[in-house]
Amino acid sequence: KKVTSRKSNKKFIVTTLFFLIGLIFLINGVTWIEKRAFISKSHKEKIEIISHSFKDSNLLGSVILVKDGKTLLTESYGLSDYNKEIKNTNDTLYPVASLQKKMTAVIIGQLVSEGKLTYETTVNTFFTDLEHGEEITIRDLLNHTSGYVTPEVPNDHVLTSEKEQLENVLDTSVFLEYGEPYYSNGNYSLLAAIISQIEERSYKDVLQDRIFIPLNMENTYLWDDVPDEASTPKEYFYVNGRSYQVDYRTYSKELMSTLLGAGNVYSTVSDMALFFSALNNDTLLSEDEYNLLFNFHEPIMLSGNISEDGAMGGYSSYFYGDITNQTFIIFLANQSTDSYPDQLLIQVYQQLLLF
């Protein structure tokens, strides 16, 4: 009986093993077949497949696909204004939300390379009264490990100057625990103020002179500089199977005015592609400066949202791809859904590699 039991167990284990191996080959086989099927398509057919993927996602906005530094597709979906039946276009300006943080970080990297500060410089150099300022470094602010958290809530009035915007951060921030990662816009507002102090002019002027102008980002503006004639979309949500819902809007000028250096830039997908393409081609940073600041050498996922008190708004921004190889996807949306589109972005990126 013992021998029979051992034989039965062995047979069960072998059968299970072969089943699992077969399942793995089946899964890989399907993936391989799908890849082969995609490769066999014409360029136009590949673009149509990707375009349909975005259309089916219920995200509304504009997307750009960049392969080896060259644009393969720029396309827009849905309506900018549902009531007026105005469509989103490739010239539509969207809030880029937290993607702006990478711009602020680049300027810090440039100042470090110019010897005007270091990543280990402590913030009490610039803010003498900031609690724990003697231990919080520039790197901490970049990595959100300062311990400070600023609430994501609109002010009771629009903050019209950078001085007011900084004071709001200093007045409302709460210190939790140094060294622990607490994601907070306030870290980048402090970096923006540090940039302003070092350069002895506004963060806005520095951003234009160091980022927008060198890259010819002619359709990129701070929130309070957007031209009246510019095409800016309304904020919508996809809820319960329906698009263009407005019940959960979070955007306001009072909220945008609290996002100094952290998320109050408007741009097009084409201009944002100019920025991300320039991160590793010696235009904004040298290779060594890039590695010291970011050290991104594989596909990364970045996102942003104009949110209030933890509630996600309809304006979202997404980046997925390999900055080093300049192959990536940027989607700027004026309609969000209740699910993060990571699988969509990963799938399209894998297809992008097959062009």
Side-chain angles (χ1 to χ4, degrees):
K1 288 183 180 179
K2 289 182 179 180
V3 173
T4 303
S5 176
R6 287 174 182 170
K7 287 183 177 180
S8 298
N9 288 340
K10 184 178 181 181
K11 183 177 181 181
F12 173 77
I13 293 170
V14 171
T15 302
T16 302
L17 183 61
F18 274 107
F19 172 77
L20 292 174
I21 292 173
L23 182 61
I24 292 171
F25 274 110
L26 177 62
I27 293 171
N28 289 336
V30 170
T31 303
W32 181 81
I33 291 172
E34 289 175 346
K35 286 183 178 180
R36 293 299 302 172
F38 187 83
I39 290 172
S40 68
K41 303 291 184 183
S42 68
H43 182 90
K44 181 180 179 181
E45 289 172 329
K46 291 175 184 175
I47 292 295
E48 288 175 349
I49 290 171
I50 291 175
S51 181
H52 280 296
S53 296
F54 283 111
K55 288 178 181 177
D56 294 341
S57 72
N58 298 309
L59 286 172
L60 303 180
S62 301
V63 67
I64 190 167
L65 306 182
V66 176
K67 173 72 182 299
D68 299 327
K70 298 179 180 180
T71 299
L72 290 184
L73 171 71
T74 308
E75 193 166 8
S76 300
Y77 312 97
L79 298 176
S80 172
D81 189 316
Y82 178 74
N83 292 330
K84 296 181 179 180
E85 297 185 347
I86 299 173
K87 293 182 178 180
N88 287 321
T89 72
N90 297 343
D91 295 323
T92 299
L93 298 177
Y94 303 87
V96 306
S98 288
L99 295 189
Q100 180 189 351
K101 291 183 174 71
K102 293 296 174 281
M103 299 179 185
T104 302
V106 164
I107 297 173
I108 290 294
Q110 291 175 340
L111 294 176
V112 168
S113 70
E114 294 164 11
K116 296 178 180 178
L117 80 167
T118 73
Y119 290 114
E120 302 311 314
T121 299
T122 53
V123 299
N124 64 335
T125 306
F126 307 96
F127 308 110
T128 56
D129 296 330
L130 187 66
E131 183 184 9
H132 300 284
E134 72 282 355
E135 57 184 339
I136 298 168
T137 66
I138 296 298
R139 182 69 77 180
D140 287 322
L141 294 179
L142 289 167
N143 293 343
H144 298 278
T145 54
S146 69
Y148 276 96
V149 175
T150 307
E152 294 184 356
V153 294
N155 197 58
D156 58 7
H157 65 279
V158 177
L159 304 169
T160 58
S161 70
E162 291 186 9
K163 182 175 182 295
E164 281 186 288
Q165 294 163 19
L166 173 61
E167 288 174 350
N168 175 69
V169 171
L170 296 174
D171 290 343
T172 62
S173 294
V174 176
F175 183 80
L176 297 179
E177 183 179 2
Y178 173 69
E180 292 299 314
Y182 295 105
Y183 187 91
S184 177
N185 291 322
N187 288 293
Y188 277 76
S189 294
L190 292 177
L191 288 171
I194 288 170
I195 289 168
S196 180
Q197 279 195 42
I198 292 174
E199 294 286 87
E200 298 182 342
R201 54 199 178 118
S202 70
Y203 167 81
K204 178 190 294 187
D205 287 345
V206 178
L207 185 64
Q208 290 172 336
D209 289 346
R210 285 183 177 266
I211 305 292
F212 299 168
I213 293 174
L215 299 183
N216 295 316
M217 296 174 67
E218 297 178 352
N219 296 300
T220 304
Y221 308 90
L222 268 295
W223 68 282
D224 53 351
D225 278 345
V226 175
D228 293 336
E229 67 275 12
S231 173
T232 56
K234 301 289 186 182
E235 176 186 15
Y236 298 109
F237 293 85
Y238 178 80
V239 181
N240 297 325
R242 297 175 60 197
S243 290
Y244 303 108
Q245 303 305 297
V246 298
D247 292 343
Y248 305 99
R249 284 176 169 170
T250 64
Y251 176 91
S252 69
K253 290 183 178 180
E254 289 80 4
L255 178 61
M256 292 294 280
S257 72
T258 68
L259 301 176
L260 173 67
N264 56 16
V265 160
Y266 276 78
S267 189
T268 63
V269 288
S270 294
D271 268 18
M272 291 304 294
L274 290 174
F275 171 70
F276 280 101
S277 294
L279 288 183
N280 71 333
N281 66 359
D282 287 330
T283 303
L284 296 177
L285 301 167
S286 70
E287 182 177 354
D288 288 343
E289 291 163 356
Y290 170 83
N291 290 334
L292 196 59
L293 178 60
F294 294 125
N295 199 28
F296 297 146
H297 293 285
E298 56 187 26
I300 60 167
M301 186 86 69
L302 303 171
S303 65
N305 184 267
I306 303 299
S307 56
E308 179 183 341
D309 202 19
M312 189 177 79
Y315 294 121
S316 296
S317 56
Y318 304 99
F319 172 97
Y320 183 74
D322 189 336
I323 293 174
T324 305
N325 294 326
Q326 296 188 357
T327 298
F328 54 78
I329 305 152
I330 297 174
F331 198 110
L332 300 180
N334 69 311
Q335 175 172 285
S336 295
T337 71
D338 59 359
S339 59
Y340 190 85
D342 53 335
Q343 292 305 309
L344 168 65
L345 297 174
I346 292 171
Q347 170 193 310
V348 172
Y349 177 75
Q350 292 299 323
Q351 292 170 332
L352 189 56
L353 295 177
L354 301 177
F355 275 84

